Amino acid sequence: MATHDAHQEHLGHIVFITAAAAIGGFLFGYDSAVINGAVVGIQKYFAVGAVEIGLVVAIALLGSALGAWVGGGLADRLGRTRTMQVAAIVFAISSIGQMLPFSIWDLGGWRFLAGVAIGMASVLGPTYIAEVSPPAYRGRLGSFQQLAIVLGIAVSQLVNYAIARVAGGNVNNQLWGLQAWQWMLGACVVPALLYLLFALTIPESPRYLIMAGRPRQARRVLAEVEGSDVDLDARVAEIQHVLQTERRPTMKDLRGPRLGLRGIVWIGIALSAFQQLVGINVIFYYSSVLWQSVGIAQSESLLISFSSSVINIVGTFIAISLVDKIGRKPLLLIGSAGMALSLGTAAWAFSTAEKVGDTVTLPSPQGMIALIAANVFVLFFALSWGVVVWVLLGEMFPNRIRAAALGVAASAQWIANWAITVSFPALSEWNLPATYAGYACFAALSFLFVVKWVKETKGRRLEEMG
C-alpha cells in the first residue's frame, strides 16, 4: 500500500509540472477566442472597416509564427523554464497594451507581440512535457497542451459573455472607466501571470540540464519524474551519450537532402499544416458569423459556438484516454476519415442554401445536417489531430534537434492557421460549399499522408527517436 501511495504521489507531481507547462496552450486558446468577443467593439471604437479588422485579428498569428521560430533556439540557450518566464512576461505586457490602445495600428502591434509570446509557448509546452514525461504516460501528458488550448477557448468565451452582460449587453458600453471590449482584452493578463507563477516553480528539463553541463541537477529532476527506483546513473549516461553524439543544435542541423531539410522535419511541417488546413479554426474564429450566414439567429449562433467548444473538450478527453492505448497513428487515421466525411457532408448541406433578398436559409433537414456535421467534425478533430499532432511534435524529433525542429514545425502551423483565417471570409462569400469541400479534400489527403509517412512513437524513449 505504501508503494502504491508513493507511486500516486510521484505521478501527481508529474501531472502538476506538465499541466503547469501546458498553461502556454491555455494562453493560445484564450487569446484566439477573446478577440472574437471584442471585434465588433474595436470596429466601432476606431471606426474602421473589415480590411483593418481582418489585419488586426490575423496579425497575432504572424507574431506566433515568429515566436515559434525563435522559441526553440531560446529554449536551447536559456533553458525551457526561463524561456517560459520570458513568454509569460511578454504576454502580460501585451495584454495591458491591447487594453489601452491609442489607435487601431498600435492595437495591431500589441496583438503581434502577444502572438510572439504565444508562439514561444506553443514550442515550449510540447518540448518540456515530452522531456519530463515517463514513456508510459508521455502521450497522455503531451495531450495536456491541446486540452489547455480548448479550455482556454471555452473560458475566454465565458469571460467575454460575463463582461458583456455586466456592461449591459453592448461591448462598447462603459465599464469602470473603459469600454467592455477593452476589459475583455485586458483580462488576458490573468492567465499570463499564472503562467509566469508556475514557470517559476517547476523544475528545469533534465535533458536541457545535461546539455548545459549540469548532470547533478538533472539527476535530481529525473528522480522526481521517473522515480528513485530507476537507475539514475544509467539514465544520465544514456542521455549524455545521445547528446554527445550530435552537435549543438542550430537551424543548420535541420538541413537535409529533401528540399533543404531533413525528412523528419518535413513530416513535422506537414503534420502542422494539415492540422490547420482542414479548417478547424474556421469553426472557432467565424462560427457565429457562419451560422448567421445560413439563416440562424445571432443569439442561437453564439450558443452553437459555445457548444462546439464543449464538444472540443469532450473529444480532447477521449484522445487523452486513448493516445497511449491504441497509439498515435491509429488515432490520426480515425480522425482524418471522420473529418473528411463530416466536412463533405457539411459542404453538401451548405450547397442547398436558399437566398431570398438579403436572407440566406438552409431548408429542412439540411440545416440540422449541417449543424450536426460541423460538430461531428469538431469531435473527430479533437479526439485525433488536435491532440496527437502536439504529442508527436514533442517526441518525434531526435534529441539534439528537438527544440529547433519543433520551432520550425510550429511556425508552419501558425502560418497555415493565418492563411485559413484570412482567406475564409472571401472564400465563403465566393462559394461556401466549395470552401468546405476544399477542407474535406485536405482531410482526405491527411489520411494518405499518415499512412505513408508517419511512424508510431507510442512507448518509445525520446533517446530512441530519429
Side-chain angles (χ1 to χ4, degrees):
M1 186 68 178
T3 304
H4 176 74
D5 290 342
H7 175 72
Q8 290 297 104
E9 183 181 346
H10 162 67
L11 182 57
H13 177 67
I14 298 169
V15 168
F16 170 77
I17 62 176
T18 52
I23 294 176
F26 185 93
L27 295 185
F28 165 41
Y30 196 98
D31 188 72
S32 296
V34 76
I35 193 65
N36 294 325
V39 161
V40 173
I42 293 168
Q43 194 163 7
K44 289 181 179 177
Y45 184 80
F46 291 113
V48 293
V51 172
E52 292 94 333
I53 281 294
L55 288 171
V56 168
V57 171
I59 197 169
L61 298 171
L62 295 181
S64 297
L66 176 62
W69 183 270
V70 303
L74 279 177
D76 284 337
R77 284 194 292 275
L78 303 179
R80 285 34 168 166
T81 56
R82 182 62 58 86
T83 311
M84 287 180 199
Q85 294 161 24
V86 171
I89 291 168
V90 170
F91 191 77
I93 292 169
S94 69
S95 299
I96 301 301
Q98 288 184 77
M99 186 182 184
L100 306 168
F102 298 107
S103 70
I104 190 70
W105 302 116
D106 83 288
L107 174 61
W110 290 117
R111 282 194 51 72
F112 181 84
L113 190 63
V116 171
I118 293 167
M120 291 169 63
S122 74
V123 173
L124 296 166
T127 299
Y128 179 87
I129 292 169
E131 291 182 349
V132 300
S133 301
Y137 301 109
R138 196 173 59 238
R140 277 165 284 182
L141 295 172
S143 305
F144 281 13
Q145 175 80 2
Q146 180 64 16
L147 177 61
I149 291 172
V150 300
L151 288 174
I153 291 170
V155 170
S156 180
Q157 289 174 330
L158 290 176
V159 170
N160 280 355
Y161 174 75
I163 291 173
R165 289 277 292 185
V166 173
N170 188 327
V171 295
N172 288 106
N173 285 348
Q174 289 289 313
L175 189 64
W176 306 308
L178 299 173
Q179 292 194 0
W181 66 266
Q182 293 176 273
W183 287 109
M184 290 177 179
L185 297 179
C188 293
V189 77
V190 177
L193 293 177
L194 281 174
Y195 188 40
L196 176 61
L197 176 65
F198 282 113
L200 289 167
T201 59
I202 59 178
E204 184 53 85
S205 156
R207 286 167 181 81
Y208 170 77
L209 290 171
I210 292 172
M211 190 189 303
R214 291 145 65 185
R216 189 175 298 176
Q217 288 174 261
R219 199 175 184 281
R220 283 203 301 270
V221 178
L222 282 167
E224 289 180 34
V225 299
E226 295 196 10
S228 54
D229 55 334
V230 174
D231 187 339
L232 296 175
D233 291 330
R235 287 291 290 123
V236 169
E238 179 185 15
I239 296 170
Q240 283 177 327
H241 173 73
V242 171
L243 293 175
Q244 287 167 0
T245 56
E246 297 181 51
R247 292 183 299 104
R248 196 166 189 82
T250 65
M251 289 301 168
K252 291 181 181 178
D253 294 317
L254 306 185
R255 292 178 182 171
R258 297 180 181 177
L259 299 176
L261 290 174
R262 290 190 186 193
I264 192 71
V265 179
W266 278 118
I267 291 171
I269 289 171
L271 282 168
S272 285
F274 274 124
Q275 191 199 51
Q276 297 302 318
L277 293 175
V278 296
I280 185 61
N281 281 314
V282 166
I283 298 293
F284 295 109
Y285 293 164
Y286 298 112
S287 56
S288 62
V289 176
L290 169 66
W291 295 119
Q292 288 172 60
S293 74
V294 292
I296 292 174
Q298 184 180 35
S299 58
E300 292 176 357
S301 72
L302 292 171
L303 186 62
I304 291 169
S305 298
F306 181 71
S307 71
S308 296
S309 292
V310 174
I311 291 168
N312 201 11
I313 293 169
V314 170
T316 301
F317 276 111
I318 293 172
I320 290 171
S321 69
L322 294 178
V323 69
D324 282 323
K325 292 179 181 175
I326 69 173
R328 285 64 159 152
K329 189 168 182 173
L331 271 184
L332 288 178
L333 293 172
I334 291 167
S336 293
M339 290 190 298
L341 290 172
S342 55
L343 286 167
T345 302
W348 167 78
F350 288 137
S351 72
T352 64
E354 300 169 350
K355 188 170 184 178
V356 180
D358 292 329
T359 305
V360 179
T361 58
L362 283 176
S364 180
Q366 282 89 340
M368 183 57 66
I369 290 172
L371 178 58
I372 292 171
N375 282 324
V376 169
F377 163 60
V378 171
L379 179 65
F380 272 101
F381 176 87
L383 64 80
S384 60
W385 282 78
V387 165
V388 176
V389 169
W390 288 113
V391 173
L392 280 173
L393 291 181
E395 66 185 11
M396 66 186 283
F397 301 114
N399 233 11
R400 265 300 189 178
I401 67 164
R402 181 169 301 114
L406 209 162
V408 172
S411 293
Q413 188 171 130
W414 291 114
I415 291 168
N417 188 342
W418 174 81
I420 292 296
T421 302
V422 298
S423 65
F424 178 75
L427 287 173
S428 62
E429 193 173 304
W430 164 67
N431 193 320
L432 183 62
T435 303
Y436 268 75
Y439 299 150
C441 289
F442 279 119
L445 286 172
S446 73
F447 184 95
L448 299 176
F449 172 79
V450 171
V451 170
K452 174 73 174 173
W453 295 108
V454 176
K455 294 181 180 178
E456 184 58 69
T457 57
K458 181 182 76 167
R460 296 172 61 192
R461 285 183 174 175
L462 295 184
E463 287 69 42
E464 300 172 33
M465 304 298 178

